[in-house]
Amino acid sequence: MEAYKERMAAEYRELEERIKKLDAIIDRYYDGTLDFTLNCPIELLRAQRSAMGNYLNVLEIRAEIEGVVLW
């Protein structure tokens, strides 16, 4: 596999993992089970999650067009 395709697949997997972790924080915040106090508004984390989801979608579209296997 070409180097850029490997980097794209790695970036996708890393972003997917970060999204899962951020989702867990957001969920725990709303469940009242978060074991620390946020230093920023939850709305900012939700905006970050949205941006990350949009970026993940862009990577998926690029991967399809460029024939990159993400997993």
Side-chain angles (χ1 to χ4, degrees):
M1 183 183 285
E2 297 172 47
Y4 87 93
K5 290 182 177 183
E6 291 174 10
R7 285 192 305 273
M8 179 190 269
E11 180 177 2
Y12 179 86
R13 291 188 301 268
E14 289 169 7
L15 180 58
E16 198 171 47
E17 184 62 32
R18 288 181 178 136
I19 287 172
K20 288 177 187 176
K21 290 177 181 179
L22 183 55
D23 282 344
I25 290 172
I26 293 169
D27 289 345
R28 289 182 13 225
Y29 173 84
Y30 285 113
D31 289 346
T33 60
L34 194 60
D35 58 355
F36 62 92
T37 303
L38 293 177
N39 292 325
C40 65
I42 189 66
E43 292 81 13
L44 188 59
L45 293 182
R46 291 177 57 197
Q48 178 182 347
R49 171 57 176 91
S50 178
M52 291 168 76
N54 290 336
Y55 184 42
L56 192 74
N57 185 260
V58 168
L59 288 176
E60 289 169 352
I61 294 168
R62 276 192 60 207
E64 184 176 332
I65 292 169
E66 298 182 24
V68 176
V69 177
L70 296 174
W71 281 104

